[in-house]
């Protein structure tokens, strides 16, 4: 093949020859796998975490009943999984209650499920980013009655931050995050160095990667979806090679493309 055409092909399919582990299934995993294929990669979709009902279902049901009754001024939603919980419970949000989403992915999930979104951080799509913009977005009103829905293992950064400001916050666990064993063939392939990259999309995924696949071969690129995930990964001893510029699947894949082109 003419070298000029080889160059064009490498630009169009920069991840050709790369096998990339995608640690989440469902619509997100399907979307990422399709994006990776479009860039020449061979995705390995191997969900490493799943979500289970909260251990305190009565507390969640009581909070959702109060949500429907209009007992809260605001509700905060920190993940698309929380939206799935709201949908599965057919939760009703009173017209007087406003909704804050920590990021664009969560906001999109809320809208797709038929809920409205009143606040999304404009810069930092995280609990910290939401706290930084909270006072401006709410015109400094204190105290507000706020329902924060979270994962069992989530750090209570948002709840504690809102309480420090002076708000009346009710924090309720909406779901539990559990590890999912990956196929032993995947474990063997990672150990053999035949997987060129691992995507790490959260602290809980980082923990599963470390527990099930570690130590990761030096030749395998460990790519984190954002600085917060990278910090969580480093804290448990998982090596981090590249961090996406923004917490999105597109940015994560682009970070891999950059690595591939630099090699």
């Amino acid at each position: 093949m003419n070298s000029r055409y080889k160059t064009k092909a490498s630009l169009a399919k920069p991840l050709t020859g790369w096998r990339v582990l995608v640690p989440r299934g469902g619509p997100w995993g399907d979307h990422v796998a399709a994006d990776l294929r479009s860039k020449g990669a061979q995705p390995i979709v191997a969900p490493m975490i799943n979500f289970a009902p909260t251990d305190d279902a009565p507390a969640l049901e009581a909070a959702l009943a109060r949500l429907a009754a209009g007992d809260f001024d605001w509700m905060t939603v920190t993940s698309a999984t929380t939206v799935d919980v709201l949908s599965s419970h057919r939760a009703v949000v009173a017209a007087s209650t406003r909704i804050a989403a920590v990021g664009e992915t969560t906001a999109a999930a809320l809208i797709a499920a038929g809920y409205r979104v009143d606040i999304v951080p404009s810069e930092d799509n995280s609990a910290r980013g939401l706290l930084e913009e909270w006072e401006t977005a709410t015109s400094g009103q204190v105290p507000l009655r706020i329902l924060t829905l979270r994962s069992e293992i989530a750090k209570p950064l948002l709840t504690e931050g809102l309480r420090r400001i002076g708000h009346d916050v009710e924090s309720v666990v909406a779901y539990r995050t559990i590890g999912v064993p990956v196929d032993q063939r995947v474990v063997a392939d990672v150990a053999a160095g035949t997987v060129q990259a691992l995507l790490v999309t959260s602290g809980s995924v980082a923990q599963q990667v470390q527990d099930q696949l570690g130590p990761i071969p030096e030749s395998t690129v460990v790519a984190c979806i954002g600085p917060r995930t990278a910090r969580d990964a480093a804290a448990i001893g998982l090596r981090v090679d590249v961090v996406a510029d923004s917490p999105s699947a597109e940015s994560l894949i682009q970070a891999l493309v950059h690595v591939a082109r630099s090699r």
Side-chain angles (χ1 to χ4, degrees):
M1 181 183 287
N2 186 294
S3 61
R4 181 164 60 90
Y5 293 113
K6 285 183 180 178
T7 300
K8 284 184 177 180
S10 65
L11 289 172
K13 306 271 191 181
L15 294 177
T16 297
W18 283 58
R19 299 178 73 215
V20 181
L21 188 142
V22 180
R24 286 175 55 189
W28 190 93
D30 292 342
H31 169 75
V32 170
D35 200 359
L36 285 166
R37 287 190 194 98
S38 74
K39 291 175 173 55
Q42 178 188 343
I44 305 166
V45 179
M48 301 191 75
I49 57 172
N50 205 343
F51 306 98
T54 172
D55 284 334
D56 194 354
L60 175 62
E61 289 164 5
L64 295 181
R66 293 182 59 205
L67 181 68
D71 286 358
F72 299 103
D73 299 307
W74 282 87
M75 173 176 68
T76 65
V77 182
T78 57
S79 71
T81 304
T82 302
V83 181
D84 292 339
V85 173
L86 290 170
S87 296
S88 68
H89 282 78
R90 296 181 179 169
V92 173
V93 181
S96 60
T97 303
R98 303 179 74 186
I99 301 176
V102 297
E104 294 171 2
T105 301
T106 304
L110 280 162
I111 292 168
Y115 298 103
R116 63 189 175 278
V117 178
D118 298 286
I119 294 178
V120 183
S122 57
E123 296 292 335
D124 181 1
N125 280 196
S126 69
R128 185 174 284 102
L130 182 58
L131 282 171
E132 288 174 354
E133 299 184 29
W134 185 268
E135 187 173 2
T136 299
T138 60
S139 302
Q141 297 176 47
V142 177
L144 293 167
R145 295 165 301 165
I146 304 170
L147 172 64
T148 60
L149 297 175
R150 61 182 180 84
S151 161
E152 182 183 46
I153 63 172
K155 298 178 178 68
L157 176 67
L158 184 58
T159 297
E160 292 176 355
L162 291 170
R163 283 175 177 159
R164 277 196 299 271
I165 295 170
H167 297 300
D168 179 9
V169 184
E170 182 171 337
S171 179
V172 176
V173 173
Y175 62 92
R176 294 178 294 122
T177 303
I178 57 176
V180 176
V182 298
D183 191 292
Q184 284 304 303
R185 289 171 296 182
V186 174
V187 175
D189 285 351
V190 171
T194 59
V195 175
Q196 281 68 41
L198 304 175
L199 303 185
V200 179
T201 56
S202 67
S204 51
V205 166
Q207 186 68 62
Q208 292 303 314
V209 168
Q210 178 76 328
D211 292 348
Q212 296 193 51
L213 304 176
I216 308 302
E218 291 293 330
S219 60
T220 302
V221 176
V222 179
C224 288
I225 201 166
R228 177 180 171 185
T229 298
R231 288 194 297 270
D232 288 344
I236 61 171
L238 181 64
R239 190 188 78 248
V240 176
D241 300 305
V242 61
V243 181
D245 290 336
S246 62
S248 69
E250 291 74 19
S251 182
L252 182 58
I253 293 172
Q254 193 54 45
L256 274 189
V257 167
H258 180 74
V259 172
R261 285 177 172 160
S262 68
R263 289 187 169 182

